[in-house]
Amino acid sequence: MADLRTNFAGITSPNPFWLASAPPTDKEYNVRRAFEAGWGGVVWKTLGEDPPVVNLSSRYGALAFGGQRLMGLNNIELISDRPLATNIAEIKRVKRDFPDRALIVSLMVPCEEHRWKAILPLIEETGADGIELNFGCPHGMSERNMGSAVGQVPEYVEMVTRWCKQNTRMPVIVKLTPNVTNILMPARAARRGGADAVSLINTIQSVIGVDLDAMAPMPVVGGKGTHGGYCGPAIKPVALRMIGEIARDSEMVGTPISGMGGISNWHDAAEFLAMGSNALQVCTAAMHYGFRIVEDMIDGLSNWMDTKGYATLPDLSGRAVSRFVPWNQLNMNFRTLAHIDQKSCVGCGLCHIACEDTSHQAIAKQTGPKGRQYSVIDDECVGCNLCAHVCPVDNCITMVPQPVESEMTWLEHPANTHRLNA
């Protein structure tokens, strides 16, 4: 059976599945139940200075798509609204009772060195395994010059990270905001500041929708709304791309990555690991299905690793990174052709409509033994994959790679006037 034990920046846990800093990790009661369910670690909901912030009553907005609830979740909740001393006491008790689990404390205070120096010893005394600097929150706290207001400025990221490294023995994880043009800028700044690891992605600045009766963004608070942080399965593609960018960057080599952003099952977890994550954080899926979801994640990942021959997490982590390349390094001679399996085709015509109206008119409509029948016009097919994606029947339309005599990237292509050896 695959060994899921995790060593992340010196922080050990029995498996890579940690709960992210969010409502599920807001208090001792939740965290105890999470550990009893099997989670390998938690990042305690972000702590700040006293007096604690004030959270609103209406906090969440949700996006459903194709019959799936919570495809995306938007929240306008802030950091912990419980007294700092209460959180400190609870963290100490939980870590005492679950010494084998990773317990990280998320922190956010104003960008003044003395304020960071004041809170760090309080966290150390709890016995926590590390701290995560919340440079990602895109609402409420950012208007107070914290959260993403820090994470969007590399100089601030480096400065605060360095303060923390100079004033604590604990590993320092920097949580990055996706609300930037280039994720490498704050990531490299965290590395320059001495960060032991980075975690990403935090939530994406968003408006989930508009209540057309109240004529206000959702969730509606007393007739008004605001932007919030977007998370859930819908942000997974953004997370994978940003994690891959960091994992393949020469300046970030060796920096552990805690990946998050839409992990809902073991398959998602395997993808995040393959793209360079060394540990994982989950939030929305736990809020949707409860803490017991981790059992399926652990079993599913372990069983899949067994079938693929990956004995440990390091065997899997980063396996896809070398194949994540810039567009100009792809083989331009590569070609696929669509193939329709007539036995499984239900004759819905979605492939024909999509190709005829919006693509390359490469699917012919005919009359066959079953009535309507569709076939691919090979000479017109460019292998774009659209027909396979719109087809409602699994594996009815497959993309068949064609023989390739040689490889040619854009760097050598005759159409590139700046090609190598031109």
Side-chain angles (χ1 to χ4, degrees), residues 38 44 157 164 170 187 201 218 223 228 253 309 312 317 337 374 386 409:
W44 202 276
V157 172
C164 292
M170 297 179 291
I201 62 172
M218 298 185 291
V253 170
T312 67
S317 180
L337 289 178
Y374 302 91
L386 178 60
T409 70

Side-chain angles (χ1 to χ4, degrees), residues 41 105 164 251 265:
V105 178
C164 292
E251 294 185 32
N265 51 53

